[in-house]
Amino acid sequence: MKKLLILITLVTLTVSAFAQGVDLRRKIEVSGVAEKEVTPDIINVSVSLQEYLNGKTKVTIDQLENQLESAVKEAGIAKEDFTINDVSGWNNTYNKKKTPDFLASKQYSIKFHDLNKYNFILNKVDPKGIQSTNIDSYDYSKITELKKELKIQALLAAKEKATYLLAAINEKPGDAINTPVRGR
């Protein structure tokens, strides 16, 4: 019986020693939100060119590529904003059983800071050689500054919320205990 009583006492002491301390501070937990709508100023566009047959003459990918490159240069697009994404080719066997034509295509990526240059560039390239165009993504050049600004606004909104909630019970907010700021 003594062993059982000693064992229960030891277990109770061990459990109470490892128990977490209870936070007895008076606190209120609030969250703040801030949003801002911005217009993207960087637009990534892909342009796919393909060779084609104009009657019996073949318009080559080199001719189309030269047209696109000169249009990009003329539009003032930086070299690092104009890249090749993909190169492919296929046999054109439609109505040609003996000597099929091999046609190539290339896909380019162009980063625009001014979307008005998009129409200028496409007008300078042979429209029959343009297989497709697609807007791949949007971005905002000042995203880092925007995130900082929004986190500060969210923190101030949380403080304002805590102030008016505590004013309802005739209390004032004290110093912040914990300020987890979530964001990307």
Side-chain angles (χ1 to χ4, degrees):
M1 187 68 159
K2 285 184 181 180
K3 289 182 181 180
L4 182 61
L5 187 59
I6 292 172
L7 183 63
I8 291 174
T9 306
L10 282 175
V11 169
T12 305
L13 289 174
T14 306
V15 169
S16 64
F18 286 112
Q20 293 180 351
V22 178
D23 188 4
L24 298 175
R25 295 178 288 185
R26 295 176 52 184
K27 60 184 176 182
I28 182 172
E29 187 174 318
V30 293
S31 62
V33 177
E35 295 178 337
K36 187 173 185 178
E37 190 171 313
V38 295
T39 302
D41 59 352
I42 300 172
I43 298 106
N44 295 309
V45 176
S46 64
V47 177
S48 184
L49 301 178
Q50 70 176 1
E51 292 180 334
Y52 68 95
L53 297 173
N54 191 9
K56 291 191 176 191
T57 60
K58 181 178 181 181
V59 178
T60 66
I61 197 70
D62 291 334
Q63 294 169 327
L64 296 169
E65 187 174 32
N66 289 336
Q67 291 174 4
L68 182 64
E69 284 178 1
S70 65
V72 165
K73 186 182 277 187
E74 196 174 324
I77 304 288
K79 285 184 180 180
E80 59 271 3
D81 292 341
F82 178 63
T83 57
I84 295 175
N85 276 353
D86 191 22
V87 178
S88 61
W90 69 95
N91 280 331
N92 181 19
T93 58
Y94 183 73
N95 287 335
K96 294 236 178 181
K97 293 182 180 177
K98 293 183 179 177
T99 57
D101 293 319
F102 182 79
L103 299 177
S105 71
K106 280 189 179 180
Q107 186 175 13
Y108 302 88
S109 178
I110 306 171
K111 186 184 291 188
F112 288 97
H113 298 279
D114 179 11
L115 203 54
N116 293 327
K117 294 179 181 180
Y118 173 74
N119 288 333
F120 174 80
I121 290 172
L122 290 186
N123 286 335
K124 300 282 184 174
V125 179
D126 185 358
K128 289 182 181 177
I130 299 174
Q131 181 181 19
S132 64
T133 63
N134 187 35
I135 295 177
D136 291 332
S137 64
Y138 302 98
D139 204 359
Y140 185 61
S141 62
K142 299 175 186 170
I143 192 74
T144 306
E145 295 87 15
L146 180 67
K147 285 181 181 181
K148 288 178 186 177
E149 177 186 328
L150 290 176
K151 285 181 182 183
I152 291 169
Q153 288 177 6
L155 189 59
L156 293 174
K159 183 178 180 182
E160 182 182 336
K161 188 187 291 186
T163 302
Y164 74 74
L165 287 174
L166 289 172
I169 58 171
N170 295 327
E171 294 286 334
K172 292 184 179 179
D175 293 332
I177 298 172
N178 187 10
T179 55
V181 178
R182 293 183 185 98
R184 295 180 193 171

